[in-house]
Amino acid sequence: MANKVARSAVTGQYVTLEYAEKHPKTTVVEKVKPTTKSSKK
């Protein structure tokens, strides 16, 4: 399952999803896959 993160299209900084909903023209919502843990020997 992917998590959603929002970024400003102008500055590239991460913003809240609520902010992204209010400003759809200047934000981008991305889906991020969860990282897998690597096994160390």
Side-chain angles (χ1 to χ4, degrees):
M1 183 174 190
N3 292 331
K4 291 184 179 181
V5 294
R7 287 190 306 126
S8 169
V10 178
T11 63
Q13 292 181 331
Y14 288 99
V15 296
T16 62
L17 291 173
E18 292 81 16
Y19 180 87
E21 290 176 3
K22 292 179 183 177
H23 303 88
K25 291 185 179 182
T26 59
T27 55
V28 179
V29 177
E30 303 173 341
K31 292 182 181 177
V32 180
K33 293 182 181 178
T35 59
T36 58
K37 293 182 181 180
S38 61
S39 60
K40 294 183 180 179
K41 292 184 179 181

Short mmCIF file of all heavy atoms in Angstrom, two decimals:
data_model
loop_
_atom_site.label_atom_id
_atom_site.label_comp_id
_atom_site.label_asym_id
_atom_site.label_seq_id
_atom_site.Cartn_x
_atom_site.Cartn_y
_atom_site.Cartn_z
N MET A 1 0.84 -1.18 0.00
CA MET A 1 0.00 0.00 0.00
C MET A 1 0.88 1.24 0.00
O MET A 1 1.85 1.34 0.74
CB MET A 1 -0.90 -0.02 1.23
CG MET A 1 -1.85 1.11 1.30
SD MET A 1 -2.96 0.88 2.70
CE MET A 1 -4.10 2.15 2.33
N ALA A 2 0.55 2.19 -0.83
CA ALA A 2 1.36 3.39 -0.97
C ALA A 2 0.82 4.51 -0.10
O ALA A 2 -0.38 4.66 0.06
CB ALA A 2 1.38 3.82 -2.42
N ASN A 3 1.74 5.29 0.44
CA ASN A 3 1.37 6.48 1.20
C ASN A 3 1.38 7.67 0.27
O ASN A 3 2.12 7.71 -0.70
CB ASN A 3 2.35 6.71 2.35
CG ASN A 3 2.24 5.64 3.40
OD1 ASN A 3 1.20 5.07 3.59
ND2 ASN A 3 3.34 5.36 4.08
N LYS A 4 0.59 8.67 0.59
CA LYS A 4 0.56 9.89 -0.22
C LYS A 4 1.31 10.99 0.51
O LYS A 4 1.17 11.17 1.71
CB LYS A 4 -0.88 10.33 -0.47
CG LYS A 4 -1.65 9.42 -1.37
CD LYS A 4 -3.03 9.97 -1.64
CE LYS A 4 -3.81 9.07 -2.56
NZ LYS A 4 -5.15 9.63 -2.84
N VAL A 5 2.13 11.72 -0.26
CA VAL A 5 2.82 12.89 0.25
C VAL A 5 2.56 14.03 -0.73
O VAL A 5 2.34 13.81 -1.91
CB VAL A 5 4.33 12.66 0.42
CG1 VAL A 5 4.61 11.64 1.50
CG2 VAL A 5 4.97 12.26 -0.88
N ALA A 6 2.59 15.24 -0.23
CA ALA A 6 2.35 16.41 -1.07
C ALA A 6 3.57 17.31 -1.04
O ALA A 6 4.22 17.47 -0.01
CB ALA A 6 1.13 17.17 -0.57
N ARG A 7 3.89 17.88 -2.22
CA ARG A 7 5.01 18.79 -2.33
C ARG A 7 4.57 20.05 -3.07
O ARG A 7 3.69 20.00 -3.91
CB ARG A 7 6.16 18.17 -3.13
CG ARG A 7 6.90 17.11 -2.41
CD ARG A 7 8.17 16.70 -3.14
NE ARG A 7 7.92 16.31 -4.52
CZ ARG A 7 8.55 16.83 -5.56
NH1 ARG A 7 9.46 17.76 -5.40
NH2 ARG A 7 8.28 16.44 -6.78
N SER A 8 5.23 21.13 -2.77
CA SER A 8 4.99 22.37 -3.49
C SER A 8 5.69 22.28 -4.84
O SER A 8 6.86 21.90 -4.92
CB SER A 8 5.55 23.56 -2.71
OG SER A 8 5.55 24.71 -3.52
N ALA A 9 4.98 22.61 -5.92
CA ALA A 9 5.57 22.59 -7.25
C ALA A 9 6.54 23.75 -7.45
O ALA A 9 7.38 23.71 -8.33
CB ALA A 9 4.47 22.63 -8.29
N VAL A 10 6.43 24.77 -6.62
CA VAL A 10 7.28 25.95 -6.76
C VAL A 10 8.61 25.74 -6.04
O VAL A 10 9.68 25.92 -6.62
CB VAL A 10 6.56 27.20 -6.21
CG1 VAL A 10 7.46 28.42 -6.31
CG2 VAL A 10 5.26 27.42 -6.96
N THR A 11 8.54 25.35 -4.75
CA THR A 11 9.76 25.26 -3.94
C THR A 11 10.28 23.84 -3.79
O THR A 11 11.44 23.64 -3.45
CB THR A 11 9.51 25.83 -2.53
OG1 THR A 11 8.53 25.02 -1.89
CG2 THR A 11 9.05 27.26 -2.60
N GLY A 12 9.43 22.83 -3.97
CA GLY A 12 9.85 21.45 -3.79
C GLY A 12 9.75 20.98 -2.35
O GLY A 12 10.07 19.84 -2.06
N GLN A 13 9.33 21.85 -1.45
CA GLN A 13 9.22 21.48 -0.04
C GLN A 13 7.96 20.67 0.19
O GLN A 13 6.95 20.85 -0.49
CB GLN A 13 9.19 22.71 0.85
CG GLN A 13 10.49 23.47 0.86
CD GLN A 13 10.43 24.67 1.78
OE1 GLN A 13 9.37 25.25 1.99
NE2 GLN A 13 11.57 25.04 2.33
N TYR A 14 8.04 19.75 1.16
CA TYR A 14 6.87 18.95 1.51
C TYR A 14 5.86 19.81 2.26
O TYR A 14 6.23 20.64 3.09
CB TYR A 14 7.29 17.76 2.38
CG TYR A 14 8.03 16.71 1.59
CD1 TYR A 14 9.41 16.64 1.62
CD2 TYR A 14 7.34 15.79 0.81
CE1 TYR A 14 10.08 15.69 0.88
CE2 TYR A 14 8.01 14.84 0.08
CZ TYR A 14 9.37 14.80 0.12
OH TYR A 14 10.03 13.85 -0.62
N VAL A 15 4.57 19.62 1.93
CA VAL A 15 3.49 20.34 2.58
C VAL A 15 2.45 19.32 3.02
O VAL A 15 2.52 18.15 2.65
CB VAL A 15 2.85 21.39 1.63
CG1 VAL A 15 3.85 22.47 1.27
CG2 VAL A 15 2.31 20.74 0.38
N THR A 16 1.48 19.77 3.80
CA THR A 16 0.44 18.86 4.27
C THR A 16 -0.55 18.57 3.15
O THR A 16 -0.69 19.33 2.20
CB THR A 16 -0.31 19.47 5.47
OG1 THR A 16 -0.95 20.66 5.04
CG2 THR A 16 0.63 19.76 6.62
N LEU A 17 -1.24 17.45 3.27
CA LEU A 17 -2.25 17.09 2.28
C LEU A 17 -3.41 18.08 2.29
O LEU A 17 -4.00 18.34 1.24
CB LEU A 17 -2.75 15.67 2.52
CG LEU A 17 -1.74 14.56 2.24
CD1 LEU A 17 -2.29 13.22 2.69
CD2 LEU A 17 -1.37 14.52 0.78
N GLU A 18 -3.71 18.64 3.45
CA GLU A 18 -4.77 19.64 3.54
C GLU A 18 -4.40 20.89 2.75
O GLU A 18 -5.23 21.46 2.05
CB GLU A 18 -5.05 20.01 5.01
CG GLU A 18 -5.65 18.90 5.83
CD GLU A 18 -4.64 17.90 6.33
OE1 GLU A 18 -3.41 18.20 6.31
OE2 GLU A 18 -5.05 16.80 6.74
N TYR A 19 -3.15 21.30 2.84
CA TYR A 19 -2.69 22.46 2.08
C TYR A 19 -2.77 22.16 0.59
O TYR A 19 -3.15 23.02 -0.21
CB TYR A 19 -1.25 22.81 2.49
CG TYR A 19 -0.69 24.00 1.75
CD1 TYR A 19 -0.90 25.28 2.22
CD2 TYR A 19 0.04 23.84 0.58
CE1 TYR A 19 -0.38 26.38 1.56
CE2 TYR A 19 0.55 24.92 -0.10
CZ TYR A 19 0.34 26.19 0.39
OH TYR A 19 0.83 27.28 -0.28
N ALA A 20 -2.41 20.95 0.19
CA ALA A 20 -2.43 20.57 -1.21
C ALA A 20 -3.85 20.57 -1.78
O ALA A 20 -4.06 20.92 -2.95
CB ALA A 20 -1.79 19.20 -1.39
N GLU A 21 -4.82 20.20 -0.97
CA GLU A 21 -6.20 20.22 -1.42
C GLU A 21 -6.69 21.64 -1.66
O GLU A 21 -7.48 21.89 -2.56
CB GLU A 21 -7.11 19.52 -0.40
CG GLU A 21 -6.91 18.03 -0.34
CD GLU A 21 -7.75 17.37 0.73
OE1 GLU A 21 -8.54 18.08 1.40
OE2 GLU A 21 -7.62 16.15 0.90
N LYS A 22 -6.21 22.59 -0.84
CA LYS A 22 -6.63 23.99 -0.98
C LYS A 22 -5.90 24.70 -2.12
O LYS A 22 -6.38 25.71 -2.61
CB LYS A 22 -6.38 24.73 0.33
CG LYS A 22 -7.27 24.28 1.46
CD LYS A 22 -6.96 25.03 2.74
CE LYS A 22 -7.81 24.52 3.89
NZ LYS A 22 -7.47 25.21 5.15
N HIS A 23 -4.72 24.19 -2.50
CA HIS A 23 -3.91 24.84 -3.53
C HIS A 23 -3.51 23.82 -4.61
O HIS A 23 -2.34 23.49 -4.77
CB HIS A 23 -2.64 25.44 -2.90
CG HIS A 23 -2.93 26.41 -1.81
ND1 HIS A 23 -3.08 26.03 -0.49
CD2 HIS A 23 -3.11 27.76 -1.83
CE1 HIS A 23 -3.33 27.10 0.24
NE2 HIS A 23 -3.36 28.16 -0.55
N PRO A 24 -4.47 23.33 -5.39
CA PRO A 24 -4.16 22.28 -6.36
C PRO A 24 -3.27 22.72 -7.53
O PRO A 24 -2.61 21.90 -8.13
CB PRO A 24 -5.54 21.84 -6.85
CG PRO A 24 -6.42 23.01 -6.63
CD PRO A 24 -5.88 23.69 -5.39
N LYS A 25 -3.25 24.02 -7.82
CA LYS A 25 -2.46 24.49 -8.96
C LYS A 25 -0.97 24.56 -8.66
O LYS A 25 -0.15 24.52 -9.58
CB LYS A 25 -2.94 25.86 -9.42
CG LYS A 25 -4.31 25.82 -10.06
CD LYS A 25 -4.69 27.18 -10.59
CE LYS A 25 -6.05 27.12 -11.26
NZ LYS A 25 -6.44 28.42 -11.83
N THR A 26 -0.60 24.67 -7.38
CA THR A 26 0.81 24.85 -7.04
C THR A 26 1.36 23.69 -6.22
O THR A 26 2.45 23.80 -5.67
CB THR A 26 1.01 26.15 -6.25
OG1 THR A 26 0.22 26.10 -5.06
CG2 THR A 26 0.62 27.35 -7.07
N THR A 27 0.63 22.58 -6.13
CA THR A 27 1.11 21.43 -5.37
C THR A 27 0.99 20.16 -6.18
O THR A 27 0.20 20.07 -7.12
CB THR A 27 0.34 21.26 -4.05
OG1 THR A 27 -1.05 21.18 -4.34
CG2 THR A 27 0.60 22.39 -3.09
N VAL A 28 1.79 19.17 -5.80
CA VAL A 28 1.78 17.86 -6.45
C VAL A 28 1.64 16.80 -5.36
O VAL A 28 2.38 16.82 -4.38
CB VAL A 28 3.09 17.62 -7.23
CG1 VAL A 28 3.10 16.26 -7.88
CG2 VAL A 28 3.30 18.71 -8.25
N VAL A 29 0.69 15.87 -5.54
CA VAL A 29 0.52 14.78 -4.58
C VAL A 29 1.12 13.53 -5.22
O VAL A 29 0.81 13.18 -6.35
CB VAL A 29 -0.98 14.55 -4.25
CG1 VAL A 29 -1.14 13.37 -3.31
CG2 VAL A 29 -1.57 15.80 -3.63
N GLU A 30 2.01 12.88 -4.46
CA GLU A 30 2.72 11.71 -4.97
C GLU A 30 2.40 10.49 -4.12
O GLU A 30 2.14 10.62 -2.93
CB GLU A 30 4.23 11.94 -4.94
CG GLU A 30 4.67 13.15 -5.72
CD GLU A 30 6.14 13.44 -5.53
OE1 GLU A 30 6.73 12.95 -4.55
OE2 GLU A 30 6.69 14.16 -6.37
N LYS A 31 2.47 9.32 -4.74
CA LYS A 31 2.34 8.07 -4.00
C LYS A 31 3.74 7.52 -3.78
O LYS A 31 4.54 7.41 -4.71
CB LYS A 31 1.51 7.06 -4.79
CG LYS A 31 0.06 7.44 -4.92
CD LYS A 31 -0.71 6.39 -5.65
CE LYS A 31 -2.17 6.79 -5.79
NZ LYS A 31 -2.93 5.81 -6.57
N VAL A 32 4.05 7.15 -2.53
CA VAL A 32 5.37 6.65 -2.17
C VAL A 32 5.22 5.22 -1.69
O VAL A 32 4.44 4.94 -0.78
CB VAL A 32 6.02 7.52 -1.08
CG1 VAL A 32 7.39 6.99 -0.70
CG2 VAL A 32 6.11 8.96 -1.54
N LYS A 33 5.97 4.31 -2.31
CA LYS A 33 5.92 2.92 -1.89
C LYS A 33 6.68 2.76 -0.58
O LYS A 33 7.71 3.41 -0.36
CB LYS A 33 6.55 2.02 -2.94
CG LYS A 33 5.78 1.97 -4.22
CD LYS A 33 6.44 1.01 -5.18
CE LYS A 33 5.68 0.96 -6.49
NZ LYS A 33 6.34 0.06 -7.45
N PRO A 34 6.22 1.89 0.31
CA PRO A 34 6.96 1.66 1.55
C PRO A 34 8.29 0.99 1.27
O PRO A 34 8.40 0.18 0.34
CB PRO A 34 6.04 0.78 2.37
CG PRO A 34 5.13 0.16 1.38
CD PRO A 34 5.00 1.11 0.24
N THR A 35 9.29 1.34 2.04
CA THR A 35 10.60 0.74 1.85
C THR A 35 10.64 -0.65 2.48
O THR A 35 9.95 -0.93 3.47
CB THR A 35 11.71 1.61 2.49
OG1 THR A 35 11.42 1.74 3.88
CG2 THR A 35 11.76 2.97 1.84
N THR A 36 11.43 -1.51 1.90
CA THR A 36 11.58 -2.86 2.45
C THR A 36 12.83 -2.90 3.30
O THR A 36 13.84 -2.28 2.97
CB THR A 36 11.67 -3.91 1.34
OG1 THR A 36 12.78 -3.58 0.50
CG2 THR A 36 10.40 -3.94 0.50
N LYS A 37 12.76 -3.64 4.38
CA LYS A 37 13.92 -3.74 5.26
C LYS A 37 14.89 -4.76 4.68
O LYS A 37 14.51 -5.86 4.28
CB LYS A 37 13.48 -4.19 6.65
CG LYS A 37 12.64 -3.17 7.37
CD LYS A 37 12.28 -3.64 8.76
CE LYS A 37 11.42 -2.61 9.47
NZ LYS A 37 11.07 -3.05 10.82
N SER A 38 16.16 -4.39 4.64
CA SER A 38 17.16 -5.33 4.15
C SER A 38 17.72 -6.11 5.34
O SER A 38 17.89 -5.60 6.44
CB SER A 38 18.29 -4.57 3.46
OG SER A 38 18.92 -3.70 4.36
N SER A 39 17.99 -7.37 5.11
CA SER A 39 18.52 -8.22 6.18
C SER A 39 20.03 -8.13 6.18
O SER A 39 20.69 -8.29 5.15
CB SER A 39 18.08 -9.67 6.00
OG SER A 39 18.54 -10.15 4.77
N LYS A 40 20.59 -7.84 7.34
CA LYS A 40 22.04 -7.75 7.47
C LYS A 40 22.57 -9.05 8.03
O LYS A 40 21.99 -9.64 8.93
CB LYS A 40 22.43 -6.60 8.39
CG LYS A 40 22.07 -5.25 7.82
CD LYS A 40 22.54 -4.16 8.75
CE LYS A 40 22.19 -2.80 8.17
NZ LYS A 40 22.62 -1.72 9.07
N LYS A 41 23.69 -9.50 7.51
CA LYS A 41 24.29 -10.76 7.99
C LYS A 41 25.52 -10.49 8.80
O LYS A 41 26.21 -9.56 8.68
CB LYS A 41 24.66 -11.66 6.80
CG LYS A 41 23.43 -12.16 6.09
CD LYS A 41 23.81 -13.12 5.01
CE LYS A 41 22.57 -13.65 4.33
NZ LYS A 41 22.88 -14.60 3.28
#
